[in-house]
Amino acid sequence: MPQVVSTQIQLRTRPDGWPVPENFRAVDVTYDDPRPGEIRVANEFISVDPYMRGRMNDVKSYTPPFALGETMTGGAVGRVTASTVDGFPVGAVVVHQHGWRTIAQADASTFRVVPEVPGAPLSLHLGILGMTGMTAFVGLSAIARMQPGDTVFVSGAAGAVGTATGQIARLLGARRVIGSAGSAEKVRLLTDKYGYDAALNYRDAPVREQLPALAPDGVDVFFDNVGADHLEAALDVMNPGGRLALCGAIAGYNATSRTPGPDNLTNVITRGLTLQGFTLGGHLEHAPEFRSRMQDWFSAGDIVWDETVVDGIDHAVEAFLAMMRGANTGKMVVRTAV
Amino acid sequence: MPQVVSTQIQLRTRPDGWPVPENFRAVDVTYDDPRPGEIRVANEFISVDPYMRGRMNDVKSYTPPFALGETMTGGAVGRVTASTVDGFPVGAVVVHQHGWRTIAQADASTFRVVPEVPGAPLSLHLGILGMTGMTAFVGLSAIARMQPGDTVFVSGAAGAVGTATGQIARLLGARRVIGSAGSAEKVRLLTDKYGYDAALNYRDAPVREQLPALAPDGVDVFFDNVGADHLEAALDVMNPGGRLALCGAIAGYNATSRTPGPDNLTNVITRGLTLQGFTLGGHLEHAPEFRSRMQDWFSAGDIVWDETVVDGIDHAVEAFLAMMRGANTGKMVVRTAV
């Protein structure tokens, strides 16, 4: 096998506020033949996700921060191009966490073979069939303990996790699903395509003013991707015993000063609410159940999706920043294939 | 049986900010003979508790607000003086929720006979043997799912619930128990009498500055009676997977304007924290376990307590306000016996 050159994006310095291109650098890494136990994978898509912003900081967290000078890790999907390991034949589709690189080469145990699903582009293994779909499923079922008949509010509902959350909430028997997004077009998409019963554009007026009219019977489950004004508005309308799955707080990820929290946290006590923060890494025990149920839903034609695809690993940083600004609808992925 | 006159304290108007005596009135109610099914009880102690401030407002909550013009409900303990019902003999000690009145007369099903415990004044049935002890137990075990080896931080630790919480945390196997209180004397009491390993005086310096040194290995369980600066300081030091039982937020109960929440709620996500608000009324299924374990601990001499006793139902409002200002150590009760 020939040597190969893998183009990789590394974190050079930690951002202060919004990341800038100078925080990153592209490097070329040359791989020799895979050693025994290793496989080589040509990535087709890499994932850019909001949680990555948090890992660019050096803070106490479940997951350690990204290392400076090393290649950005994260979800990616590709095909095996060289293998020393049974069960990882050349041509097989694999997902992995080796992140922002055109070619990944490492111990086979760090890859997972996934089936090729009829009608599904490989990128869906980074989206609704993969991490973002599972995040929605785990947040609703394990964290928020959603029950059939619940009213569910999802913030950032047109994003990768949000579009999955609305559909899954409905498939799990929600009585009413409400979403927020940042444009009239996205709001239409939520109700027309993603099964939301009602949606609001948070740029039109404060969420706190808009939400009560959309949730006349209150909210039982809040799935939060945004934080800040969305969390505050949700706390106003939560029903007693309500559960809040805090998945993301993208509103504050690039803040350089601390911003105060919601002014109505007392409702947590008087209404007996539960707020639980989570990152998927702490709940991987739900993966088999998620894959089984999602496969059924997908096969039955119950799942729809959007993707925003940016071409070229050299544009990965731009794709990440555009996603942080909400330029995507559905999952944002970077196509690495040349 | 003769008619009797019961002096009762009623809520006349809803307070705006701190309650004032004019929000209340004393009335005399005359009771005829108990009807079939009723008993008559001469109260010995009535309970004044922080949660009552919330019920003076007209807001959405698990428990309905106090009705205007009706007698203040709440915990009380007394002895049966007239009875038409088997199982409620004259002289028996009963607890009930008929509240701020010298004599209670009502259907026997609204009273519960409690044993006379050697060495325990009847008032303890309103404190560590009763609602406040059970609040501490439920908050630690059912809400915060405290495990042996956990480090526990309790805010408002010298109050009725706080003094119970420290002892129960230790009896449940906490590795380290840390408390906050509002005077040097109370801080000494926490470490000298109540088994706290460390305590801070929140009037000395911001809690956020003091807490990290007392919790060098972080905090696994936070039992919050105060809210505001205490919650914010706790969020700084919580360990991944930590649980926060939000029992009270006395810091904000009398606020007339909304105050912003903690500036570090993002830690809830990155550290996978769970915040759960609770009021005891939603968790009464734990009563049998609490009574059984508390009886064992009490009999073994493992339980200590303080009480602040105010004499005379005419001083119930003063007692309530003094408690809200932190003038009590341990449970605040009003002795109604003449």
Side-chain angles (χ1 to χ4, degrees):
Chain A
M1 280 172 276
Q3 282 189 335
V4 290
V5 175
S6 172
T7 302
Q8 312 195 350
I9 309 297
Q10 300 186 336
L11 186 65
R12 204 172 61 80
T13 53
R14 300 203 182 278
D16 179 27
W18 279 89
V20 291
E22 292 67 36
N23 296 128
F24 303 88
R25 70 175 165 219
V27 298
D28 282 343
V29 175
T30 301
Y31 290 122
D32 290 319
D33 285 356
R35 283 168 294 187
E38 288 189 340
I39 64 173
R40 179 181 292 169
V41 171
N43 283 337
E44 301 209 0
F45 296 93
I46 64 172
S47 185
V48 291
D49 300 285
Y51 79 87
M52 292 174 169
R53 179 62 190 86
R55 295 194 62 193
M56 294 176 192
N57 299 331
D58 189 12
V59 293
K60 189 177 191 174
S61 177
Y62 252 129
T63 42
F66 290 126
L68 285 185
E70 288 188 8
T71 299
M72 291 279 294
T73 53
V77 61
R79 285 184 192 274
V80 178
T81 57
S83 175
T84 69
V85 184
D86 285 349
F88 292 86
V90 169
V93 178
V94 295
V95 294
H96 60 89
Q97 289 290 322
H98 295 292
W100 298 22
R101 60 185 81 206
T102 54
I103 293 172
Q105 184 169 311
D107 194 88
S109 65
T110 61
F111 299 84
R112 186 169 61 82
V113 175
V114 294
E116 293 201 58
V117 181
L122 291 196
S123 51
L124 287 203
H125 290 292
L126 306 179
I128 194 148
L129 300 181
M131 193 196 79
T132 53
M134 185 168 160
T135 299
F137 179 76
V138 166
L140 285 172
S141 59
I143 306 296
R145 303 185 308 284
M146 198 208 103
Q147 302 297 318
D150 279 349
T151 292
V152 178
F153 173 47
V154 182
S155 67
V161 171
T163 49
T165 306
Q167 298 180 68
I168 295 175
R170 188 151 295 295
L171 289 164
L172 293 175
R175 187 173 69 84
R176 184 173 171 80
V177 186
I178 305 157
S180 76
S183 77
E185 187 187 355
K186 288 180 179 179
V187 163
R188 261 196 311 277
L189 198 67
L190 292 181
T191 52
D192 292 355
K193 179 170 180 179
Y194 285 105
Y196 281 82
D197 297 285
L200 63 87
N201 179 349
Y202 59 77
R203 296 188 210 272
D204 281 349
V207 183
R208 193 170 216 167
E209 293 175 13
Q210 295 188 72
L211 183 57
L214 302 189
D217 299 321
V219 167
D220 305 298
V221 165
F222 176 44
F223 191 114
D224 192 14
N225 298 299
V226 177
D229 58 334
H230 280 78
L231 176 57
E232 194 168 67
L235 286 169
D236 274 355
V237 298
M238 294 304 295
N239 289 325
R243 289 86 61 206
L244 299 86
L246 307 190
C247 175
I250 198 167
Y253 284 177
N254 294 298
T256 49
S257 62
R258 290 169 172 270
T259 47
D263 63 14
N264 51 358
L265 269 183
T266 306
N267 291 357
V268 176
I269 302 172
T270 55
R271 303 185 192 181
L273 307 178
T274 303
L275 285 73
Q276 185 170 354
F278 76 108
T279 51
L280 192 57
H283 301 274
L284 296 179
E285 72 275 19
H286 300 287
E289 187 193 353
F290 163 69
R291 287 182 199 132
S292 158
R293 301 201 67 168
M294 180 52 76
Q295 189 171 338
D296 290 346
W297 290 328
F298 198 89
S299 307
D302 288 337
I303 295 293
V304 292
W305 68 87
D306 284 279
E307 290 185 322
T308 304
V309 180
V310 170
D311 269 306
I313 194 155
D314 290 343
H315 298 116
V317 173
E318 292 162 42
F320 174 74
L321 292 173
M323 179 275 303
M324 292 295 287
R325 293 200 165 89
N328 56 308
T329 298
K331 183 80 180 91
M332 174 73 98
V333 292
V334 176
R335 180 157 41 203
T336 49
V338 288
Chain B
M1 277 171 275
Q3 283 188 334
V4 290
V5 174
S6 172
T7 301
Q8 312 195 350
I9 309 297
Q10 301 186 335
L11 186 65
R12 204 172 60 81
T13 52
R14 301 202 182 278
D16 179 28
W18 279 89
V20 292
E22 291 68 34
N23 295 127
F24 304 87
R25 68 175 166 221
V27 298
D28 282 344
V29 174
T30 302
Y31 290 121
D32 289 319
D33 284 357
R35 284 169 292 187
E38 288 190 339
I39 63 173
R40 179 181 292 168
V41 170
N43 283 337
E44 301 209 0
F45 295 94
I46 65 172
S47 185
V48 291
D49 299 286
Y51 80 87
M52 292 173 171
R53 179 62 190 86
R55 294 194 63 192
M56 292 176 193
N57 299 331
D58 189 11
V59 293
K60 189 175 191 174
S61 176
Y62 253 129
T63 42
F66 290 126
L68 285 186
E70 287 188 7
T71 298
M72 291 279 296
T73 54
V77 61
R79 286 184 192 274
V80 178
T81 58
S83 175
T84 67
V85 184
D86 285 350
F88 293 85
V90 169
V93 179
V94 295
V95 294
H96 60 89
Q97 288 291 320
H98 295 291
W100 297 22
R101 61 185 80 207
T102 54
I103 293 171
Q105 184 170 313
D107 194 87
S109 65
T110 61
F111 298 83
R112 186 170 61 83
V113 176
V114 294
E116 293 202 59
V117 180
L122 291 197
S123 51
L124 287 203
H125 291 292
L126 306 180
I128 194 147
L129 300 180
M131 194 196 78
T132 54
M134 185 168 159
T135 298
F137 179 77
V138 165
L140 285 171
S141 58
I143 305 296
R145 303 185 308 282
M146 198 210 105
Q147 303 297 318
D150 278 349
T151 293
V152 178
F153 173 47
V154 182
S155 66
V161 171
T163 48
T165 306
Q167 299 180 68
I168 295 175
R170 189 151 293 296
L171 289 164
L172 293 175
R175 187 172 69 85
R176 182 172 173 80
V177 186
I178 305 158
S180 77
S183 76
E185 188 187 353
K186 287 180 178 178
V187 163
R188 260 195 313 278
L189 198 67
L190 292 181
T191 52
D192 291 357
K193 179 171 181 180
Y194 285 105
Y196 281 83
D197 296 285
L200 63 87
N201 179 348
Y202 60 77
R203 297 190 209 270
D204 281 349
V207 183
R208 193 168 215 167
E209 293 175 12
Q210 296 188 70
L211 184 57
L214 301 189
D217 299 319
V219 167
D220 304 297
V221 165
F222 175 43
F223 191 114
D224 192 15
N225 297 301
V226 176
D229 58 333
H230 280 78
L231 176 56
E232 193 168 67
L235 286 170
D236 274 355
V237 298
M238 293 305 295
N239 289 327
R243 288 87 61 206
L244 299 87
L246 307 190
C247 176
I250 199 166
Y253 284 177
N254 294 297
T256 49
S257 61
R258 291 169 172 270
T259 47
D263 62 16
N264 50 359
L265 269 184
T266 306
N267 292 356
V268 175
I269 302 173
T270 55
R271 302 185 192 181
L273 307 178
T274 303
L275 286 72
Q276 184 169 355
F278 76 107
T279 49
L280 191 57
H283 301 274
L284 296 178
E285 72 275 18
H286 301 287
E289 187 192 353
F290 164 69
R291 287 182 198 131
S292 159
R293 300 202 67 169
M294 180 52 76
Q295 189 171 339
D296 290 347
W297 291 328
F298 197 90
S299 306
D302 289 336
I303 297 293
V304 293
W305 68 88
D306 284 279
E307 289 184 321
T308 305
V309 180
V310 170
D311 269 307
I313 194 155
D314 291 342
H315 297 115
V317 173
E318 291 163 41
F320 173 75
L321 292 173
M323 180 275 303
M324 291 295 287
R325 295 200 162 90
N328 56 308
T329 299
K331 183 81 181 89
M332 175 73 96
V333 292
V334 176
R335 181 156 41 202
T336 48
V338 287

